[in-house]
């Protein structure tokens, strides 16, 4: 196990290194030039040249890359060209905001996804089951930005309960701070919950059909105890790995959701950086997101390897 | 069944849209801005007085085109690579698989963002970008199916007859590899529609005055106080389309996946 983990960690480092070259190459062929953006529309060539020289953009590409990589290895992510501030704190602030959103959404998805899945499984082919399937089917079939807009129309405009975007500061009071999080979290939850609830449903149904559950029923245990003590624990094993995979999905969706709600997270920062060709910011943002994504996948694989034999033992196949 | 019926209807509507819509999708009417749904404009009008119903129908074309074309791109690149890697094994396999590792370590939308940031946005570039996003998963699936098939007797027989590699891949392995690839591809179509819409929404896909659904919703966003219908119509249309394609995919999987039959029967 330890060797496997070390191998995977080295793999992640290698992937991130390759990716940094790739991102660098892509930004090299991007049209437009950060010096042009900085200098403004009416700047003459000499001004642009001077800015390029000041930023080191006139050096050959491999020299630029080497400067950047050397900086990163010594813990310096460089300066944002547009905002003229160190990238490290900028990214870290945005990352904390995004992580807050992601963690809240993740908890919601896990709790309600499992709950809905279990209810659907117990009430298989009855009204509650169909209602849950319909809800989750519609949830994944409509893009997250549309849910975001529907949520804004209903809760911010029509009912006027919640702010339609931005982020609150905790110093303005808890409610202001929390109220800015409700709609983005709700939107993220809605688009991701179907994965979890559908998988929980099917594995719960399978577990309820297994021999040991039949055994427990034959012993005369009440259905509640069977579900809580016997079935649920085994049925949830595959769900746990799917939850880890969902972290990756969450990272993708968060970019769009942050854009709709003008939420100051890493996705919006990255969009901002891409629009303005702010290379150090793009590099740091992409690498951070990719790193989180890779770790989430690693954890998913580890959990899967850890739980899989138990799942097999758990099934008393005839 | 329902899925294929709705999808068929959608395709008919999408193909025939230019002839059945009451207005041109880019026909402006300054006196008729942001009108609520009425007999004249069934789903109201947008900020330029353009008919939302017409635009939404025309948008069906773009959306379906995007979904199927992007999937076709991912198949066109991914299937040959997967076949090759799975059959030749060795170094080729290693290089292809490590490349997919790198591409798979981006969240899909990030990869789309990066690919599209390189050039000025357009619908076609977005289709190619979305296609490329789904190449790695196509490669992996094709490779694993090919690995299984390469050990089968009919493939060994072909090799013993001295057939060329290209013949074996094309005539022996590919026909047997199609069913799982098609099932996977049908799921990709909806992912591609949603990803494409998200990219258009961010502004990296279709450009105005196109009536792409993602773009329509993005343009309607500042006006949702006064004219929510402009955003809601394309959103619901997209939901219907994705559900129809998903239902079709589920049906396809049941028809083509032998494991499902065993479970059911």
């Amino acid at each position: 196990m330890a060797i496997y983990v070390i191998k995977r960690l080295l793999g992640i480092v290698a992937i991130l290194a390759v990716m940094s070259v790739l991102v660098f190459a892509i930004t090299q062929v991007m049209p437009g030039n950060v010096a042009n953006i900085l200098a403004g529309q009416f700047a003459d060539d000499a001004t642009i040249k001077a800015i390029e020289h000041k930023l080191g953009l006139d050096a050959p590409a491999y020299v630029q890359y080497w400067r950047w990589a050397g900086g990163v290895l010594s813990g310096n992510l460089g300066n944002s060209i547009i905002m003229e501030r160190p990238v490290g704190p900028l990214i870290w602030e945005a990352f904390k905001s995004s992580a807050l959103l992601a963690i809240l959404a993740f908890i919601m998805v896990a709790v309600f996804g499992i709950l809905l899945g279990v209810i659907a499984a117990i009430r298989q082919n009855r009204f509650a089951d169909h209602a849950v399937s319909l809800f989750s089917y519609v949830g994944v079939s409509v893009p997250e930005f549309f849910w975001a807009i529907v949520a804004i129309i209903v809760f911010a405009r029509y009912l006027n309960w919640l702010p339609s975007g931005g982020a609150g500061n905790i110093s303005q009071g808890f409610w202001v701070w929390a109220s800015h999080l409700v709609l983005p979290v709700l939107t993220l939850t809605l688009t991701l919950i179907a994965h979890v609830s559908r998988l929980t449903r099917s594995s719960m149904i399978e577990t309820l059909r297994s021999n040991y559950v039949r055994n427990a029923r034959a012993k005369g245990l009440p259905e509640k105890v069977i579900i809580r003590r016997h079935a649920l624990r085994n049925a949830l094993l595959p769900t746990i790995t799917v939850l880890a995979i969902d972290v990756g999905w969450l990272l993708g969706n968060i970019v769009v959701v942050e854009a709709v709600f003008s939420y100051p997270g890493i996705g919006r920062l990255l969009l901002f950086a891409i629009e303005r060709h702010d290379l150090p910011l793009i590099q740091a943002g992409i690498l951070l997101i990719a790193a989180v994504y890779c770790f989430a996948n690693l954890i998913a694989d580890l959990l899967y390897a850890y739980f899989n034999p138990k799942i097999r033992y758990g099934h008393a196949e005839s | 069944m329902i899925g294929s019926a709705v999808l068929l209807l959608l395709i008919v509507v999408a193909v025939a849209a230019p002839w059945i819509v009451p207005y041109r999708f880019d026909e402006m009417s300054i006196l008729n801005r942001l009108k609520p749904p009425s007999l004249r404009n069934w789903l109201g009008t947008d900020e330029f007085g353009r008919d939302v119903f017409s635009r939404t129908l025309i948008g069906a074309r773009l959306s379906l085109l995007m979904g199927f074309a992007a999937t076709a791109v991912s198949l066109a690149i991914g299937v040959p690579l997967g076949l090759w890697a799975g059959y030749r094994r060795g170094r080729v396999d290693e290089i292809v698989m490590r490349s997919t590792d790198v591409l798979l370590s981006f969240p899909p939308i990030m990869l789309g963002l990066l690919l599209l940031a390189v050039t000025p946005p357009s619908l076609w570039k977005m289709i190619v970008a979305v296609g490329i996003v789904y190449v790695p998963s196509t490669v992996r699936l094709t490779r694993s199916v090919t690995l299984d098939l390469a050990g089968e007797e009919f493939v060994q027989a072909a090799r013993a007859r001295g057939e060329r590699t290209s013949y074996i891949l094309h005539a022996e392995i590919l026909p047997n590899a199609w069913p799982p690839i098609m099932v996977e591809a049908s799921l990709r179509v909806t992912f591609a529609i949603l990803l494409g819409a998200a990219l258009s929404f961010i502004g990296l896909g279709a450009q105005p005055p196109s009536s792409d659904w993602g773009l329509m919703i993005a343009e309607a966003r500042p006006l949702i106080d006064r004219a929510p219908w402009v955003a809601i119509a394309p959103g619901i249309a997209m939901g219907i389309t994705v559900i129809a394609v998903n239902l079709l995919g589920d049906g396809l999987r049941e028809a083509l996946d032998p494991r499902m039959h065993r479970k059911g029967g």
Side-chain angles (χ1 to χ4, degrees):
Chain A
M1 197 69 162
I3 292 172
Y4 174 75
V5 173
I6 291 168
K7 255 190 194 166
R8 285 288 302 264
L9 288 175
L10 288 177
I12 290 177
V13 172
I15 281 175
L16 292 179
V18 172
M19 199 175 288
S20 74
V21 177
L22 211 68
V23 173
F24 190 81
I26 286 176
T27 50
Q28 286 299 305
V29 290
M30 268 186 183
N33 175 332
V34 69
N36 281 337
I37 296 172
L38 281 177
Q41 210 176 340
F42 304 107
D44 53 13
D45 283 352
T47 322
I48 290 170
K49 284 263 156 50
I51 292 173
E52 280 183 345
H53 184 72
K54 189 181 137 220
L55 295 170
L57 294 176
D58 51 353
Y62 66 91
V63 175
Q64 287 186 46
Y65 178 77
W66 197 241
R67 271 184 207 149
W68 176 83
V72 170
L73 290 178
S74 59
N76 175 16
L77 288 167
N79 283 313
S80 160
I81 297 172
I82 299 292
M83 293 196 259
E84 296 182 333
R85 283 169 55 196
V87 166
L90 268 177
I91 286 276
W92 180 239
E93 274 308 308
F95 180 71
K96 276 194 294 189
S97 305
S98 289
L100 179 68
L101 263 194
I103 289 168
L104 287 173
F106 185 77
I107 294 171
M108 295 276 287
V109 167
V111 171
F112 288 100
I114 290 170
L115 197 69
L116 288 180
V118 170
I119 291 173
I122 297 172
R123 305 257 156 201
Q124 199 190 342
N125 292 329
R126 306 246 292 271
F127 175 75
D129 182 20
H130 295 309
V132 169
S133 322
L134 187 71
F135 170 75
S136 53
Y137 223 95
V138 172
V140 279
S141 298
V142 177
E144 62 282 48
F145 56 85
F146 182 67
W147 284 133
I149 284 177
V150 171
I152 291 175
I153 292 176
V154 175
F155 294 105
R157 308 292 179 194
Y158 184 67
L159 295 173
N160 217 351
W161 287 351
L162 296 160
S164 65
N169 197 310
I170 193 83
S171 62
Q172 296 163 280
F174 175 78
W175 172 241
V176 175
W177 173 78
S179 66
H180 285 89
L181 293 170
V182 176
L183 291 185
V185 169
L186 186 75
T187 308
L188 286 169
T189 309
L190 212 60
T191 42
L192 285 171
I193 205 164
H195 276 140
V196 177
S197 67
R198 287 171 86 175
L199 188 80
T200 307
R201 176 186 178 273
S202 63
S203 84
M204 190 73 187
I205 286 174
E206 212 163 298
T207 313
L208 286 174
R209 281 195 197 133
S210 69
N211 287 345
Y212 75 89
V213 168
R214 198 184 58 189
N215 227 4
R217 286 204 180 111
K219 268 200 309 194
L221 286 179
E223 194 68 20
K224 260 189 192 164
V225 177
I226 294 174
I227 287 162
R228 226 181 292 147
R229 305 263 317 261
H230 294 251
L232 194 56
R233 289 188 186 181
N234 281 307
L236 282 188
L237 297 179
T239 307
I240 292 169
T241 65
V242 159
L243 278 173
I245 294 169
D246 267 353
V247 173
W249 282 87
L250 204 53
L251 286 174
N253 285 358
I254 224 169
V255 177
V256 178
V257 169
E258 285 178 0
V260 187
F261 289 105
S262 322
Y263 185 88
I266 193 147
R268 212 170 68 119
L269 187 65
L270 197 58
L271 278 179
F272 173 88
I274 287 177
E275 268 166 24
R276 290 168 185 74
H277 308 284
D278 191 338
L279 181 58
L281 205 53
I282 298 176
Q283 280 278 26
I286 292 270
L287 288 182
L288 183 63
I289 289 176
V292 176
Y293 194 67
C294 287
F295 276 108
N297 282 335
L298 173 61
I299 290 167
D301 288 351
L302 289 181
L303 286 173
Y304 194 73
Y306 181 73
F307 284 126
N308 207 21
K310 276 195 179 173
I311 294 170
R312 287 207 195 105
Y313 297 139
H315 279 283
E317 287 293 336
S318 47
Chain B
M1 270 312 285
I2 305 172
S4 36
V6 174
L7 189 63
L8 196 68
L9 187 71
L10 275 170
I11 290 173
V12 170
V13 166
V15 171
W19 293 279
I20 56 176
V21 292
Y23 301 91
R24 280 171 47 83
F25 76 98
D26 56 353
E27 185 181 312
M28 300 190 201
S29 162
I30 298 304
L31 295 175
N32 255 327
R33 299 172 67 228
L34 299 172
K35 286 279 186 307
S38 66
L39 277 179
R40 198 162 147 231
N41 303 99
W42 291 356
L43 296 175
T45 60
D46 68 5
E47 60 177 318
F48 299 111
R50 297 175 298 195
D51 182 46
V52 175
F53 177 68
S54 306
R55 286 176 66 73
T56 307
L57 283 197
I58 298 282
R61 298 188 114 187
L62 299 175
S63 202
L64 289 173
L65 174 76
M66 192 165 65
F68 286 104
T71 309
V73 169
S74 73
L75 288 177
I77 304 175
V79 171
L81 275 177
L83 283 173
W84 200 38
Y87 188 72
R88 294 299 293 271
R89 316 278 281 275
R91 186 164 295 174
V92 174
D93 188 22
E94 192 67 21
I95 292 170
V96 170
M97 291 313 281
R98 293 296 82 81
S99 314
T100 64
D101 277 346
V102 173
L103 290 180
L104 282 173
S105 52
F106 282 103
I109 195 163
M110 287 292 162
L111 190 54
L113 275 179
L114 261 185
L115 289 171
L116 288 169
V118 177
T119 55
S122 80
L123 184 68
W124 283 106
K125 284 172 194 157
M126 184 182 65
I127 288 174
V128 173
V130 173
I132 292 175
V133 168
Y134 293 120
V135 163
S137 42
T138 312
V139 169
R140 296 205 147 194
L141 178 75
T142 312
R143 173 183 174 272
S144 72
V145 177
T146 309
L147 276 179
D148 284 348
L149 289 171
E152 296 280 336
E153 277 159 7
F154 63 88
V155 175
Q156 288 172 355
R159 212 182 294 166
R161 289 202 304 272
E163 302 286 6
R164 277 177 304 138
T165 306
S166 60
Y167 174 84
I168 294 176
L169 288 180
H170 181 253
E172 304 281 351
I173 293 182
L174 190 56
N176 291 294
W178 267 130
I181 294 174
M182 284 316 289
V183 170
E184 173 88 351
S186 71
L187 294 173
R188 292 272 162 264
V189 171
T190 60
F191 286 138
I193 290 176
L194 290 173
L195 179 59
L199 288 169
S200 283
F201 180 81
I202 296 176
L204 290 173
Q207 296 297 305
S210 163
S211 66
D212 178 273
W213 290 337
L215 184 64
M216 279 176 80
I217 295 175
E219 288 176 338
R221 167 155 161 55
L223 305 162
I224 50 177
D225 288 334
R226 292 151 65 199
W229 53 85
V230 187
I232 288 171
I236 290 176
M238 198 177 321
I240 293 171
T241 309
V242 170
I243 289 175
V245 179
N246 267 338
L247 287 173
L248 182 77
D250 288 349
L252 207 62
R253 185 162 30 172
E254 267 166 46
L256 293 178
D257 190 347
R259 274 174 304 170
M260 295 278 287
H261 280 301
R262 236 178 283 155
K263 236 182 212 172

